[in-house]
Amino acid sequence: MNLKKEILDILVKDAKLSNENIAAMEADKTILRYAAMVNTEKDENAWAEAFIELKVAPQKEFGYEDIARRIYMFHEVQDMYLMSGSSDLTIRVTAPTMKEIFKFVWEKVAVLDGVTNTETRFVMRKYKQYGEVLVESEKENRLVVTP
């Protein structure tokens, strides 16, 4: 395993490294930024979040990269991936309400040249994110039934 991979694995688990190691990884753009992880399950005012799967039809002069660039520039798009399988691109979007996500899809994404289909999947509840469990265990209150 190379040193950068080892350092990244350590950082993902616990971001306590020497300043020299961190500075080197910041300089070569391996580390892009630092962020806090917020448990949105505890926030009643958390924004709506959805994954939108896109099927696209790239052209000879206008391929996946061009279509992706037009989409990832929208401020609603938090993450974007080129995928294998039934969809070509998947984006994760956030907005104050589900209605605003729908509006984003039908007014900005679905109308783009090259986008042939969209399928929106709303995040209803997060159980685990980045290796952290976000929900507290709920003890079952059912009676034990024995024969």
Side-chain angles (χ1 to χ4, degrees), residues 4-17:
K4 281 187 182 179
K5 173 82 172 109
E6 288 180 43
I7 293 171
L8 281 175
D9 288 343
I10 292 167
L11 273 176
V12 167
K13 291 176 184 162
D14 185 6
K16 296 176 185 173
L17 283 178

Side-chain angles (χ1 to χ4, degrees), residues 73-88:
M73 295 306 289
F74 292 120
H75 73 274
E76 294 90 346
V77 176
Q78 302 301 308
D79 303 303
M80 182 174 209
Y81 310 97
L82 178 62
M83 306 294 289
S84 63
S86 62
S87 64
D88 298 307

Side-chain angles (χ1 to χ4, degrees), residues 45-120:
N45 299 314
W47 280 25
E49 181 176 4
F51 289 89
I52 302 164
E53 296 177 354
L54 308 170
K55 289 185 183 179
V56 299
Q59 305 298 317
K60 184 176 182 180
E61 300 296 322
F62 195 76
Y64 287 109
E65 300 299 315
D66 301 301
I67 295 169
R69 189 175 305 107
R70 286 192 309 182
I71 296 168
Y72 68 62
M73 295 306 289
F74 292 120
H75 73 274
E76 294 90 346
V77 176
Q78 302 301 308
D79 303 303
M80 182 174 209
Y81 310 97
L82 178 62
M83 306 294 289
S84 63
S86 62
S87 64
D88 298 307
L89 299 170
T90 298
I91 57 176
R92 184 178 67 86
V93 300
T94 58
T97 65
M98 290 174 133
K99 185 174 183 174
E100 288 189 43
I101 291 175
F102 275 127
K103 188 176 177 181
F104 166 73
V105 173
W106 77 63
E107 288 182 357
K108 294 183 179 178
V109 177
V111 297
L112 290 172
D113 287 338
V115 174
T116 61
N117 189 44
T118 67
E119 192 166 328
T120 303

Side-chain angles (χ1 to χ4, degrees), residues 119-133:
E119 192 166 328
T120 303
R121 301 179 189 280
F122 284 95
V123 175
M124 304 304 289
R125 184 169 196 194
K126 294 179 184 179
Y127 293 98
K128 189 173 184 178
Q129 187 175 25
Y130 299 112
E132 296 293 329
V133 175

